[in-house]
Amino acid sequence: MTFDGSAERTVLVTGGSRGIGAAIAERLACDGWSVALNYAARAAAADAVADRIREAGGRVRTIRADVSDAADVRGLFAEIDREMPRLEGLVNNAGIASPLGNFTDIDDAAMARVVSINVTGAMLVAREAARRMMRSRGGAGGVIVNLGSPAFRLGNPGELVAYATTKGAIASLTIGLARELGAEGVRVNTLAPGLIPTDMAEGRDIGKLLAGVPMGRLGAVEEVAEAASWLMSEKAGYVSGATLDVTGGR
Ligand code: NAP
């Protein structure tokens, strides 16, 4: 897919260096967005995604920031403000899994870490983005897509309950923000991928989990990116506060 647009508005994709975020970043660049491609640590992976975007004629800037660190998040947005076209989009994608196993076995540090990245991080980033999009603050409106998961309604017992809990928080963040920001010209939705083979899915018993997928197969990152592209576009102009499942029926 080649670049199609003027790239005069920016979308921030957090966690864009790998997996679902990388696919979404590439797709949105082709849709005409200037992409602020955030990553936490893997600069080489982020650079490789950026190279692919530039080869397709798109515009991108890689920016390192730990989304769970408020100072890093301020720095991330300061760089976008200084160096990029106006921010009108956010894909709140950065996230980690909790350690696989029973909830009763998770230790303090792992519990704090998954909450700080998946919940506090998503809130810090959404707040900064919304402040820039709100019409009452001089913004042009915008679109926020939060990466949720069917885990929030499945609970993922014996496996990822702590992670599922953080995705319950994401569902609430979407509902609250969609209602708070509707009159500000900002749409907010949850995109909930099912079983997608990324680094995050490593160690899970995919064979067993597939038995619970009506379509009987894993999803592809490109299928998630396609849904993100639609939610970010004017075609979804009256869609806000919604959850779009990309789960093969799960
Ligand atoms: P992934 O392949 O493990 O990639 C995670 C991305 O998040 C990487 O780009 C990583 O950056 C970044 N990241 C991690 N911690 C960060 C932090 N503190 N600050 C900034 N960036 C950080 O994960 P994925 O499977 O693509 O998942 C992406 C999103 O989709 C997550 O929110 C996840 O919960 C959700 N999701 C995934 C699935 C699935 O089956 N894969 C299903 C449902 C929902 P580095 O490369 O620098 O480490």
Side-chain angles (χ1 to χ4, degrees):
M1 192 171 293
T2 51
F3 170 67
D4 173 28
S6 64
E8 283 173 350
R9 57 188 186 156
T10 294
V11 60
L12 167 61
V13 180
T14 64
S17 46
R18 286 183 286 139
I20 290 169
I24 290 176
E26 287 185 49
R27 176 57 203 254
L28 294 181
C30 289
D31 289 347
W33 293 85
S34 283
V35 176
L37 188 102
N38 158 256
Y39 64 99
R42 300 187 197 206
D47 286 343
V49 178
D51 285 347
R52 284 200 296 275
I53 288 174
R54 290 190 191 102
E55 276 162 25
R59 292 189 214 175
V60 60
R61 185 180 186 89
T62 59
I63 308 176
R64 198 213 68 80
D66 176 349
V67 296
S68 69
D69 182 310
D72 269 20
V73 172
R74 275 194 290 278
L76 164 65
F77 280 87
E79 187 166 337
I80 293 169
D81 291 343
R82 208 172 48 240
E83 306 290 347
M84 299 191 72
R86 183 162 61 188
L87 186 82
E88 294 182 28
L90 165 65
V91 180
N92 216 348
N93 166 82
I96 60 166
S98 47
L100 286 171
N102 288 329
F103 178 74
T104 42
D105 291 331
I106 190 169
D107 66 29
D108 297 351
M111 194 185 289
R113 186 169 142 75
V114 73
V115 171
S116 71
I117 295 174
N118 292 11
V119 182
T120 309
M123 289 197 294
L124 287 169
V125 170
R127 183 186 65 187
E128 292 306 315
R131 284 175 174 170
R132 286 158 176 79
M133 294 173 186
M134 293 166 69
R135 289 184 180 141
S136 64
R137 287 174 176 250
V143 192
I144 296 174
V145 171
N146 294 318
L147 266 289
S149 168
F152 102 92
R153 56 179 164 75
L154 298 171
N156 294 24
E159 200 195 10
L160 288 164
V161 169
Y163 169 80
T165 303
T166 68
K167 293 302 179 181
I170 292 297
S172 297
L173 180 65
T174 289
I175 292 166
L177 280 185
R179 292 177 181 186
E180 193 167 302
L181 300 176
E184 294 281 358
V186 182
R187 294 189 295 108
V188 188
N189 293 293
T190 295
L191 178 57
L195 293 174
I196 314 295
T198 66
D199 293 345
M200 185 178 280
E202 262 174 34
R204 300 184 77 186
D205 186 342
I206 297 295
K208 191 172 149 198
L209 292 168
L210 272 180
V213 180
M215 285 181 66
R217 68 167 175 88
L218 299 172
V221 291
E222 292 80 9
E223 291 174 304
V224 181
E226 183 67 33
S229 168
W230 180 75
L231 281 173
M232 294 298 298
S233 77
E234 284 309 310
K235 291 177 186 166
Y238 198 51
V239 180
S240 194
T243 298
L244 180 50
D245 285 341
V246 184
T247 61
R250 186 164 174 249

